[in-house]
Amino acid sequence: MTAVNDVIDLSREGEIAVITVNSPPVNALSARVREGLTEAFRKAAADGETKAIVLICDGKTFIAGADITEFGKPPVGIGLRDLEDVIECTPKPVIAALHGTALGGGLEVALCAHYRVAVPSTKCGLPEVNIGLLPGAGGTQRLPRIVGVEMALDMITSGRHVPANQCAAMGLIDELAPEGRLREAALAFARKAVAETRPLRKVRDSNAKVEAARGHPEIFANFRKANARRFRGFKAPEACIQCIEAAVNLPFDEGMKRERELFVELQKGSQSKAQQYAFFAEREVWKIPDVPVDTPTVPVNRVGIVGAGTMGGGIAMNFANAGIPVTIVEAKPEALERGLSVIRRNYVNTARKGRMTGGDVEKRMELLKGSLTLDDLANCDLIIEAVFENMDIKKDVFRKLDAIVKPGAILATNTSYLDTNEIARATQRPEFVIGLHFFSPANVMRLLEVVRADKTANPVIATAMQLAKRIGKIAVLVGVGYGFAGNRMLAQRQREANRLVLEGAMPWDVDRVLTEFGFPMGPFQMSDLAGLDLGWSKETSKSSTIREVLCEMDRRGQKTGAGFYDYDENRTPKPSPITAKIIEDFRARSGAAVRQISDEEILERCIYPMINEGAKILEEGKAIRASDIDVVWLNGYGWPRYRGGPMWYGDFIGLDKVLARMREWQSQMGDEFKASALLERLAAEHRTFGDVK
Ligand code: 3HC
Ligand code: NAI
């Protein structure tokens, strides 16, 4: 074996040259990899003894894409497309040997090989769209030539990872190798190609599938229409579609040119920067400076849950889905029965949609055991409390659990707002108490706020983070404080949304501005969905807020067919003249001056106070880094990914601008708008949240 450079090796087995990439962690196409591969291919092509070439990777995966860390920096060394030309034009058969994930630029390189062999566990995909880009090294031109236009549209705009057997069925992979025997299989394939003098098959030359779609613009029109909701606000999916249109309507080289232009446009835009930031932010959250990766963890083989309501049921499903047995304790038999039947109904619905089998439903239900006594939790390694949001009830549950469960078991609370320290103090094991704040619906939402109380031990934190990964969540470590990170910031937005309505905006104006910004729904639609009567009681209601008035009129949100909005049978919200009248009367009664409010003010008033609150959270050390707060908002509250997150967005628009507005509002409306010291400091120093390390 000869090292071409530190990341590429070239060797020969008989008449077959083997080029090996070894660039951990994911063999991304960095300048060194591109350079080494180019040289290795040139050498192998020139070597008289070599009759065919195998391209293979060491480590856990084939090339997983371009090196995203290079984006936005001046280009170095040979370009990816030049490397691809070298591979595709090699005058000897080139066989790409795939394992792990052949993604993005990795798959594009493989598409320039003449043949592809893969082990069954391989997944192939062009996930660039997820980082605000399009496959910019020929993927949009070559993939449709193999898999056809419809499949290419689906794969490229979803970025999904397609399993090897499906790739083989579509012709994207020529041969499946036995698991663990990729190298031998690729070598055998190469020898066969030589022996049979197989042609140097170039994907670029195979036009039948793109020609079949020529003259059928409806394919694209229908695809756009069917996916309009999913693509709303994102620039990359449309650019991907245009590239595939170019593959259909233009000769290959011109299609490549179009792909390049659109790629460069996306790369320059703010959306791809935001989405790449989100990609890395979601990988940073796992890194906790004082809880290193080698921190010991507590094995979690059995989980207990207290409360089978909205949250308890959803939380239980996460563990059952991961094959972890769960015991759920309820206070009353009816509540337990209801909780378990809701879980079953959820699974059955999933099965009805074809996303699991009837057998899977039963398997999961078998992992869930109901109980009416906390004593049944004695053997659990982790118990998550999800009873009513009431400190006395929670403390009582923790006190009892502490006496029942084995030493070393972790006690977690799902509280949304209550003080985790106070709950921990109800036990003799505060170091084993932690907050695990799931989001509703808990079986669907990816976010988990892991709440570190004053005494929570590091192994308990490490266990929680590891467990989150196991059940497919993105965990963010936060400190104790009213509403932690997410709800604390949400409260700012909610307060301003309500105040804007009193000042002259209508709920649907506020919702429209925020949905145009990119949220899936606005604050008033969200309130209607959650139910306006959360925390409301008829007895104590005094018509003191618009919300109270709505509840008093039995307009309690979607569930009663009316709230801020009127709803039809499909739950489509319509601005309500009744609500409008309630608001007008309310404003008249309160004597508030009503004025015209611009969309710009609505947006700034809803968003800037959130950014300011995020700054306070950072300054108080309740979040490790600004990007962690962004991960909370991206995964828990539908913040549009193409806007990075509230803190990224603050940096993007300029912290001096945010600060100026906060000061202006403080002078008009009071100290709720007082700027955080961190925001003041960063703005003065012309720095960003991203600079705070
Ligand atoms: N460039 C640079 N670094 C990358 C990377 C890439 N393409 N892909 C992953 N990494 C880094 C991660 O940041 C992480 O670093 P860290 O350990 O310091 O945090 C490390 O590799 C491991 O990544 P994961 O934690 O994500 O590991 P997993 O095993 O969970 O997942 C993966 C592996 C499926 C490959 C996943 O990392 C992934 O999806 N990567 C991105 C793939 C992608 O988007 N490729 C397209 C790139 S754009 C492109 O190719 C443009 C071209 O068309 C021109
Ligand atoms: P819920 O009212 O739907 O469920 C609570 C369940 O706990 C009820 O079924 C009740 O019978 C049971 N319960 C009460 N006392 C009990 C006891 N001593 N022993 C056993 N079971 C008992 O409430 P929900 O919405 O599930 O909330 C639970 C917790 O989760 C609260 O702390 C809440 O703040 C938090 N939370 C709620 C979210 C939401 O969107 N609903 C989101 C995130 C957290």
Side-chain angles (χ1 to χ4, degrees), residues 670-693:
D671 279 351
E672 274 165 337
F673 295 93
K674 188 170 170 20
S676 91
L678 178 65
L679 179 63
E680 298 258 9
R681 199 179 77 226
L682 292 175
E685 293 169 358
H686 305 291
R687 289 166 71 219
T688 64
F689 292 124
D691 293 334
V692 183
K693 293 287 179 236

Side-chain angles (χ1 to χ4, degrees), residues 393-441:
I393 301 181
K394 291 205 192 271
K395 276 176 30 185
D396 183 52
V397 168
F398 271 73
R399 210 173 292 122
K400 288 180 178 152
L401 284 173
D402 190 30
I404 292 169
V405 303
K406 62 186 179 191
I410 298 172
L411 301 180
T413 172
N414 182 47
T415 182
S416 308
Y417 293 98
L418 299 176
D419 181 350
T420 319
N421 285 321
E422 191 177 338
I423 297 174
R425 282 197 293 272
T427 72
Q428 304 294 315
R429 60 173 97 197
E431 63 281 9
F432 285 95
V433 175
I434 194 165
L436 291 180
H437 184 219
F438 288 82
F439 286 70
S440 181

Side-chain angles (χ1 to χ4, degrees), residues 32-110:
R32 296 292 290 152
V33 170
R34 297 194 304 270
E35 191 179 81
L37 280 178
T38 309
E39 195 183 328
F41 271 98
R42 287 202 173 122
K43 273 191 177 153
D47 173 26
E49 308 286 310
T50 295
K51 297 283 186 301
I53 302 165
V54 167
L55 169 64
I56 194 164
C57 292
D58 273 351
K60 64 175 185 178
T61 181
F62 188 74
I63 301 165
D67 184 342
I68 306 173
T69 60
E70 284 183 357
F71 290 169
K73 298 180 187 153
V76 183
I78 182 160
L80 181 51
R81 283 174 167 219
D82 296 327
L83 162 65
E84 289 182 343
D85 284 344
V86 169
I87 297 175
E88 197 168 46
C89 296
T90 301
K92 302 168 182 179
V94 177
I95 292 93
L98 316 182
H99 77 292
T101 42
L103 300 178
L107 182 60
E108 291 175 299
V109 162

Side-chain angles (χ1 to χ4, degrees), residues 25-26 60 64-68 101 105 108 127-128 135-136 279-280 283 287:
V26 296
K60 64 175 185 178
D67 184 342
I68 306 173
T101 42
E108 291 175 299
E128 287 86 343
F279 174 87
F280 287 115
R283 281 152 183 83
K287 297 168 192 163

